Amino acid sequence: MIYVCKNCGYTFWVKRMRCPKCGSVTLENVSIKEVEVIASWKLTATPEGFEDSYWLCLVKSNNAKLFCRSLTEPKDGGKLLLKDNGICEPLG
């Protein structure tokens, strides 16, 4: 989920009460599904309760950049499906 300010159009992914750019309280929730990989890193030292290794992906959609995790190696510039739980997987 990302948030878009209805006043200035600024897009962000951390929930806030006001737009960090203009201070407006008029925000819209936008559900995103398809994202594009900007970069990814394989993590092998992961927190307890997570997989032993996974890929941390910096992705973009609708002018917002956010992180998700993938259990398979993504391709830079490739498209992923973003689930509500923060996991992303290859489209198709």
Side-chain angles (χ1 to χ4, degrees):
M1 173 101 36
I2 60 173
Y3 305 91
V4 179
C5 176
K6 289 185 177 182
N7 183 52
C8 71
Y10 185 73
T11 304
F12 52 99
W13 68 284
V14 175
K15 187 174 182 179
R16 301 167 189 249
M17 296 301 294
R18 297 181 174 274
C19 172
K21 186 173 181 182
C22 73
S24 172
V25 295
T26 312
L27 307 174
E28 177 181 14
N29 299 343
V30 178
S31 180
I32 56 174
K33 296 293 178 193
E34 187 176 314
V35 294
E36 181 180 344
V37 179
I38 298 172
S40 61
W41 303 268
K42 185 172 185 179
L43 302 181
T44 55
T46 60
E48 188 174 324
F50 285 82
E51 297 83 4
D52 290 337
S53 68
Y54 59 85
W55 292 87
L56 180 63
C57 306
L58 176 62
V59 297
K60 68 178 178 177
S61 179
N62 298 344
N63 298 322
K65 294 177 183 168
L66 53 139
F67 287 100
C68 63
R69 71 182 196 275
S70 176
L71 301 179
T72 60
E73 181 177 2
K75 296 178 182 171
D76 287 351
K79 302 285 184 184
L80 298 173
L81 174 67
L82 179 63
K83 296 184 172 186
D84 289 337
N85 61 1
I87 293 179
C88 47
E89 54 190 37
L91 279 172

